[in-house]
Amino acid sequence: MMLDTYKKFQELKTDFDKKMVMRDILIEQLKGYEKDIKLLEQEIEDGKKVEIMFQEIAQKTQQNVEEHISNLVTLALKSVSPDFPEFIVKFGIRRKQLEADLLFKEDDVVYNPMYCSGGGPKDIASFGLIIANWSMDQTRATIILDEPFKQVSP
């Protein structure tokens, strides 16, 4: 009886020692997982900072492009006639895409030239947009135009 109790005790002690070793292994794994979680959380935080930085850069670039295009097209319009309107391009996100609104401005009134303008200013603006596009990517040495000023009256 005493021998059975001793044997049982030894078995329990062996099981206990195995479980203690297993517990130590699990604790080490847990520490590794906690370290991985902290690294991943830091990567997420860094990713958010990079995303904000890219958004700011994209917004500044977008503003520069808006200004560049608007200035070139307005210069083309005003070169033909000082009475022609100012040209404004505005970028915006619609339908999950970046879209541009091409507008005219006269006396603080902004309007869509497709509905409220004659053909002459539209032709000049169209030509100005071609030049603005070319000025941003001057890899093409030739611009082919087919009656670019057909609506412009002398």
Side-chain angles (χ1 to χ4, degrees):
M1 174 115 171
M2 188 76 154
L3 194 57
D4 286 340
T5 307
Y6 182 73
K7 246 184 185 178
K8 189 72 169 170
F9 177 75
Q10 286 298 353
E11 287 175 12
L12 288 172
K13 185 176 184 305
T14 303
D15 282 347
F16 178 76
D17 290 341
K18 286 179 185 177
K19 290 187 182 192
M20 289 299 287
V21 168
M22 187 60 106
R23 181 192 73 132
D24 292 342
I25 291 171
L26 291 173
I27 288 173
E28 288 302 314
Q29 283 181 344
L30 180 63
K31 287 179 182 176
Y33 292 146
E34 287 173 344
K35 186 177 181 182
D36 290 346
I37 288 171
K38 286 182 182 178
L39 289 172
L40 290 172
E41 286 173 343
Q42 185 62 45
E43 282 185 29
I44 290 170
E45 188 65 31
D46 291 345
K48 288 178 182 178
K49 289 177 183 175
V50 168
E51 182 181 13
I52 290 169
M53 183 179 69
F54 276 126
Q55 288 173 345
E56 289 172 354
I57 290 170
Q59 188 174 26
K60 287 178 184 175
T61 302
Q62 185 176 314
Q63 289 170 346
N64 288 341
V65 170
E66 281 179 359
E67 186 177 319
H68 178 75
I69 293 171
S70 296
N71 288 342
L72 279 173
V73 177
T74 297
L75 178 64
L77 286 163
K78 297 296 183 181
S79 294
V80 173
S81 171
D83 295 333
F84 280 170
E86 180 182 342
F87 184 83
I88 299 172
V89 61
K90 291 285 183 194
F91 291 108
I93 303 287
R94 287 190 294 272
R95 297 180 291 272
K96 297 182 181 179
Q97 288 185 310
L98 182 65
E99 294 185 6
D101 292 321
L102 308 176
L103 307 167
F104 281 173
K105 179 180 176 184
E106 271 183 295
D107 302 323
D108 295 328
V109 176
V110 177
Y111 59 92
N112 186 332
M114 298 308 290
Y115 305 116
C116 304
S117 182
K122 286 189 252 186
D123 280 350
I124 303 300
S126 176
F127 177 75
L129 285 167
I130 291 168
I131 298 303
N133 181 38
W134 176 81
S135 74
M136 290 186 283
D137 181 23
Q138 297 181 5
T139 56
R140 290 168 265 150
T142 305
I143 296 174
I144 298 174
L145 304 170
D146 182 26
E147 297 184 37
F149 304 113
K150 64 183 173 273
Q151 298 291 325
V152 178
S153 301

